[in-house]
Amino acid sequence: MKVTAFIIFSLLNFNMAFSADCFRTKRDIRSSDFVAQVQSYIPQTHRGHVIIVPPTGGTNVLDRSYARSLCAAGLSAHILSNWSGDDEFNLELEIHTRFYARANRAIRVVVNSFPPGDFIGILGTSVGGIHAAIAASQLPRISTAFIITGGAHVPGIIAYSTQQAMRNAWEHRQKKYGFKNKQEYVTALEKVIELEPGDLSNSGKKLGLVIGEQDHVVPTANQERLRSLWKPQKLIVYNFDHLPTIVLTWLFNSREVVSFFAQAVPVE
């Protein structure tokens, strides 16, 4: 109870401290028949953009808090709230191909809406962190990325995640496809999942990660795999599971996250 009260108190004070002088707007960004919906926080003096990709469940209070803080630092923050086809659900393995491809397309659509030469960073949490890590690997215009409890090797994350939706998918697919064990499941997923975070260790991009050392939702082993691929300049580690790591990062490291992006903007 004390911890919950402290989080609520901190959130209220944090929101009040960073809500001034930002214009908030919602817009649909279209590309052919595809639509990405964003909630933007625009400062009076603009220095660049940061795309925020939320975790499972959609935009939450922490995303909005990060957006206000980034805006206060002179960065336009754009929360990617929805995109075409993001609510598709079935048990086909191929759904993951479409799921990650659509998210990648949504981020690409937002990136392409910014004027050429503008600074672009990306901040993602949990599955949003996986999407953000893939986008940072795919899109040259994204120069800075900060990932909170994301990971690499998507098939392994899907197979071994303790998230209820992933556990349900395993149980139903085991019956449907006759997988004898998780390794068979991983092998089948590897055949259909095309997008993965890439090796950015020598890319020149500014990279930051938060790792939960006891994470079972995005397994710690997969977070460490992303760390090995990226060799980030900024690393924050908590010896907790998934949600506590996310909340503690926001509570105690929000200013570091914002500074990470603010300091990455080229000096004119």
Side-chain angles (χ1 to χ4, degrees):
M1 183 66 69
K2 290 182 179 179
V3 174
T4 302
F6 175 67
I7 290 173
I8 294 172
F9 176 79
S10 300
L11 179 58
L12 291 172
N13 281 278
F14 195 89
N15 285 343
M16 287 188 293
F18 289 97
S19 60
D21 300 324
C22 287
F23 174 70
R24 181 177 173 182
T25 183
K26 295 182 180 180
R27 62 179 177 138
D28 292 348
I29 307 174
R30 298 181 179 273
S31 175
S32 185
D33 60 343
F34 189 88
V35 180
Q37 298 176 328
V38 296
Q39 300 176 24
S40 298
Y41 295 72
I42 313 297
Q44 291 183 352
T45 303
H46 164 86
R47 300 175 57 221
H49 308 272
V50 177
I51 300 168
I52 299 174
V53 192
T56 300
T59 304
N60 58 60
V61 68
L62 302 190
D63 300 317
R64 291 188 286 270
S65 182
Y66 280 121
R68 281 186 282 268
S69 300
L70 288 161
C71 184
L75 292 161
S76 295
H78 310 273
I79 304 174
L80 183 56
S81 53
N82 297 99
W83 55 85
S84 297
D86 64 352
D87 58 350
E88 180 187 6
F89 174 78
N90 63 60
L91 291 174
E92 295 176 356
L93 299 183
E94 291 78 8
I95 191 174
H96 299 291
T97 303
R98 299 189 292 273
F99 176 74
Y100 285 95
R102 286 170 182 151
N104 190 257
R105 183 178 181 184
I107 295 169
R108 189 185 300 270
V109 166
V110 177
V111 165
N112 290 341
S113 74
F114 301 143
D118 277 14
F119 167 85
I120 303 174
I122 192 163
L123 168 64
T125 300
S126 190
V127 71
I130 300 171
H131 292 322
I134 291 171
S137 304
Q138 293 271 322
L139 305 179
R141 288 194 65 193
I142 296 177
S143 64
T144 305
F146 197 97
I147 310 301
I148 302 170
T149 64
H153 192 234
V154 175
I157 296 171
I158 293 168
Y160 290 99
S161 173
T162 59
Q163 183 193 39
Q164 193 60 52
M166 294 297 98
R167 292 170 65 181
N168 291 344
W170 158 245
E171 291 173 5
H172 288 294
R173 286 167 172 170
Q174 188 179 25
K175 295 176 183 176
K176 179 176 181 179
Y177 296 105
F179 298 127
K180 294 183 178 122
N181 51 53
K182 287 285 184 76
Q183 187 52 54
E184 284 192 3
Y185 185 32
V186 169
T187 300
L189 288 167
E190 287 174 336
K191 294 177 181 177
V192 299
I193 294 176
E194 301 171 352
L195 291 172
E196 280 283 351
D199 183 351
L200 293 181
S201 58
N202 295 309
S203 66
K205 297 191 178 191
K206 186 173 182 181
L207 307 169
L209 297 179
V210 174
I211 291 176
E213 289 189 315
Q214 302 296 325
D215 203 325
H216 298 91
V217 176
V218 177
T220 300
N222 297 91
Q223 297 183 37
E224 290 289 354
R225 189 162 180 163
L226 182 59
R227 176 185 181 180
S228 296
L229 279 172
W230 279 19
K231 297 179 175 57
Q233 296 94 334
K234 180 72 174 179
L235 179 66
I236 297 170
V237 178
Y238 279 103
N239 189 28
F240 290 102
D241 202 346
H242 195 67
L243 184 57
T245 297
I246 292 170
V247 174
L248 289 169
T249 299
W250 169 76
L251 276 174
F252 299 111
N253 304 105
S254 290
R255 294 182 188 276
E256 290 179 67
V257 173
V258 172
S259 295
F260 183 83
F261 288 103
Q263 292 171 9
V265 179
V267 178
E268 297 181 357

